[in-house]
Amino acid sequence: QVQLVESGGGLVQAGGSLRLSCAASGRTFSSHSMGWFRQAPGKEREWIGGIVWSVGSTDYADSVKGRFTISRDIFKRTVNLQMNSLKPEDTAIYYCASALRPGSYTYWGQGTQVIVSS
């Protein structure tokens, strides 16, 4: 089985930055892409971006485009989410997920909390 563990969450002031990491572990791991999601209290889970593992191409939701950047480390099997110019509305639990094929997320991390104060 595959385990995904997010790290790097915390409390930050509006306008600040945070970098989240997602580490994959397990005897086997095969992923077409890795995605980042977030969920705020009382709201549905929202897709915010993803990266195609083999080529490193990325895509982002309009709400974070230009502020968030996704990158990968092939050797370490990690994916990062660099978050800049954070806003209070970015406050949420952030999750990473692995998709074996486009749009089909099989494995999920437990999430890491991000709180942006005004």
Side-chain angles (χ1 to χ4, degrees), residues 16-54:
S17 299
L18 281 175
R19 178 164 47 250
L20 307 183
S21 295
C22 175
S25 62
R27 285 191 172 273
T28 60
F29 180 76
S30 180
S31 178
H32 170 269
S33 59
M34 299 289 292
W36 283 97
F37 297 76
R38 67 185 181 186
Q39 187 168 25
K43 299 183 65 177
E44 294 184 347
R45 183 171 293 179
E46 174 191 16
W47 176 86
I48 59 175
I51 183 168
V52 178
W53 192 260
S54 63

Side-chain angles (χ1 to χ4, degrees), residues 30-102:
S30 180
S31 178
H32 170 269
S33 59
M34 299 289 292
W36 283 97
F37 297 76
R38 67 185 181 186
Q39 187 168 25
K43 299 183 65 177
E44 294 184 347
R45 183 171 293 179
E46 174 191 16
W47 176 86
I48 59 175
I51 183 168
V52 178
W53 192 260
S54 63
V55 296
S57 58
T58 56
D59 197 12
Y60 304 93
D62 289 341
S63 60
V64 305
K65 193 172 299 182
R67 299 188 297 121
F68 291 10
T69 303
I70 298 172
S71 61
R72 63 185 158 92
D73 187 317
I74 296 175
F75 183 76
K76 294 182 178 180
R77 283 289 184 177
T78 61
V79 62
N80 301 313
L81 178 65
Q82 177 67 45
M83 304 184 294
N84 298 325
S85 301
L86 284 164
K87 307 173 182 179
E89 51 263 44
D90 293 320
T91 296
I93 299 176
Y94 283 72
Y95 301 88
C96 68
S98 174
L100 299 181
R101 59 184 179 88

